[in-house]
Amino acid sequence: MIDDILAEIHADIAGADWQGLTDDGLFSGKLGLVYFYHILYKSSGDAFYKDKIEEILSHLMDKIGQNTSTVLLRSSLMSGLTGFGYILKLLVDDGLIDEDFIAELDSINDLALDECLLLIKNKNFDFFNGPIGILFYFVAIGHRENVTVIVDSLYEAYISDGRTFYNNAGYLEGIHFGYAHGLPAIIKTLDGVKGSRKSDEMIGHLLEEFERLIAGEPVLLENYRYYLPRSIHRDDTQQYDLNWRPVLAWSNSDLNYSTLICSIDKRRIGEESLSLAIELAKGTVDRRAEPQTRVWDYRFNYGSAGVAQLYLTIYKQTGDKDIYDAYRWWIEESIRLYRKPGSVKEHKLNFIDNLPGLYLVLLESKNPAIAGWDKILLL
């Protein structure tokens, strides 16, 4: 089955279907394919994958040179300039492109920093298309000066609004509890910032808030306990309303807390926090029907592949049999859903919302040597 998925990806690539991706970005566009083939090339050394990296990157460089690429429209990690910069740095570090490409980062970094600070000023704390993804990029490339400036700006916003990171950015309004838009992404990204008192203070307080919410009055949905709300919103009287939804997904679910605790610096957590994370994760393993999970396809972002990878992240740190059984169930469910025709509407080559993300999840289940590919997705 896994070979069938790769064959389908290759068929679309051979037919130049990748040029039909209207987004050039990292998570859902052409840069996502470059990242996908980079992972495959590193694990296999197959020259075919290197050729595809060069072909797609050359196409993107031409579009950027002609000022027609979508990555020029914003600085975000998901679809903009920092996603492009991340790929350039990755390929240079691995010797796949010439070091001269690093010069491209200077202009990217200046634009990205300015946009990042403006987004924070406007109370946008998004990972996908906001300042948290941009900070992730600067941490990844080792730009300490810009990291410090951004952390200072985040800390100022954090203090001024009651230490909540409340989003005022359109559809993101509220406090979110998923990797795509919420607090787990903030904590995980700040965890990569070393030696910062402000970063440490923000992480410590946010983790305490998670534990406070989890310890609250149990909430039952679809006859199962859910531990964290999807989001929190202020009403007209500035009181906080908790928005609960029966979801199990990489983008937003209880498992985000468990994977977060299992993947950040161990010096930040104690035995009680780890025990809570395991307890919470084990409390989700029987949630498998669609009404309990809102999973009806195989995507990484919202679907079964992302759920499987969440369980794998927890299993790697705990060795818990129940967690492993849940991981294997979701791997098989991903295969079943792949066989279900028409379940995903996004372009087949969309990294996070179609076949590439699914394939890497299934490949790691067969070949643990590719472990770490999901770091751009905060696992």
Side-chain angles (χ1 to χ4, degrees), residues 49-335:
Y49 300 133
K50 185 179 180 182
D51 290 343
K52 290 304 172 187
I53 291 171
E54 293 172 351
E55 178 186 359
I56 299 169
L57 189 62
S58 176
H59 168 84
L60 286 169
M61 294 299 293
D62 286 345
K63 289 188 69 177
I64 290 170
Q66 296 162 10
N67 204 35
T68 60
S69 174
T70 61
V71 301
L72 300 174
L73 299 176
R74 58 177 63 185
S75 296
S76 71
L77 185 69
M78 181 177 189
S79 57
L81 283 170
T82 52
F84 177 55
Y86 183 90
I87 289 295
L88 289 183
K89 183 67 163 59
L90 186 69
L91 297 179
V92 167
D93 287 350
D94 288 342
L96 292 175
I97 59 174
D98 193 273
E99 287 189 6
D100 291 345
F101 279 98
I102 288 295
E104 301 283 344
L105 297 186
D106 291 338
S107 57
I108 289 173
N109 294 346
D110 291 342
L111 289 168
L113 178 61
D114 289 344
E115 185 172 338
C116 183
L117 297 178
L118 179 61
L119 288 165
I120 294 171
K121 183 179 179 181
N122 291 334
K123 305 295 185 185
N124 179 324
F125 304 112
D126 190 37
F127 173 68
F128 270 174
N129 282 305
I132 306 306
I134 296 173
L135 175 59
F136 175 92
Y137 159 74
F138 282 123
V139 171
I141 69 169
H143 199 305
R144 294 184 179 180
E145 181 179 350
N146 283 4
V147 168
T148 299
V149 172
I150 295 168
V151 169
D152 286 347
S153 182
L154 279 172
Y155 186 80
E156 181 179 339
Y158 157 84
I159 292 297
S160 68
D161 197 34
R163 305 194 300 171
T164 64
F165 286 116
Y166 192 96
N167 272 296
N168 283 332
Y171 75 97
L172 292 175
E173 188 271 332
I175 302 170
H176 295 263
F177 292 89
Y179 283 123
H181 310 298
L183 298 184
I186 296 174
I187 296 171
K188 186 61 184 285
T189 302
L190 288 175
D191 184 59
V193 179
K194 306 305 179 185
S196 166
R197 177 192 61 80
K198 292 177 180 178
S199 178
D200 291 345
E201 179 184 328
M202 288 186 282
I203 291 171
H205 172 72
L206 293 175
L207 289 176
E208 288 174 1
E209 286 300 297
F210 267 100
E211 293 185 5
R212 182 184 64 79
L213 278 169
I214 293 168
E217 192 70 23
V219 172
L220 295 179
L221 303 171
E222 299 294 332
N223 298 315
Y224 284 88
R225 181 180 177 187
Y226 287 73
Y227 298 83
L228 289 166
R230 178 182 183 273
S231 53
I232 297 177
H233 304 273
R234 291 179 183 143
D235 62 21
D236 293 340
T237 64
Q238 297 299 299
Q239 297 300 307
Y240 288 105
D241 290 330
L242 277 61
N243 172 29
W244 293 88
R245 185 177 296 181
V247 173
L248 198 64
W250 172 85
S251 61
N252 190 302
S253 72
D254 290 341
L255 285 176
N256 286 183
Y257 172 77
S258 297
T259 52
L260 180 68
I261 293 299
C262 288
S263 63
I264 61 175
D265 191 325
K266 297 299 178 287
R267 290 172 293 183
R268 300 191 188 280
I269 58 176
E271 287 298 321
E272 290 185 3
S273 295
L274 183 58
S275 295
L276 179 62
I278 297 171
E279 175 190 341
L280 188 153
K282 288 167 75 75
T284 69
V285 298
D286 291 329
R287 295 192 224 154
R288 295 179 177 178
E290 187 176 312
Q292 302 150 6
T293 65
R294 297 297 192 269
V295 171
W296 50 75
D297 59 49
Y298 55 72
R299 291 178 293 173
F300 192 99
N301 196 359
Y302 305 110
S304 60
V307 178
Q309 203 67 12
L310 291 170
Y311 280 121
L312 178 61
T313 300
I314 301 164
Y315 173 71
K316 286 177 180 177
Q317 295 299 318
T318 65
D320 186 273
K321 182 182 182 300
D322 291 337
I323 299 298
Y324 181 76
D325 289 344
Y327 164 63
R328 293 307 313 179
W329 190 91
W330 283 100
I331 288 292
E332 294 303 316
E333 180 69 354
S334 296
I335 293 171

Side-chain angles (χ1 to χ4, degrees), residues 8-24:
E8 187 172 354
I9 293 172
H10 286 340
D12 286 347
I13 291 289
D17 284 3
W18 60 271
Q19 295 191 33
L21 281 165
T22 56
D23 185 354
D24 292 336

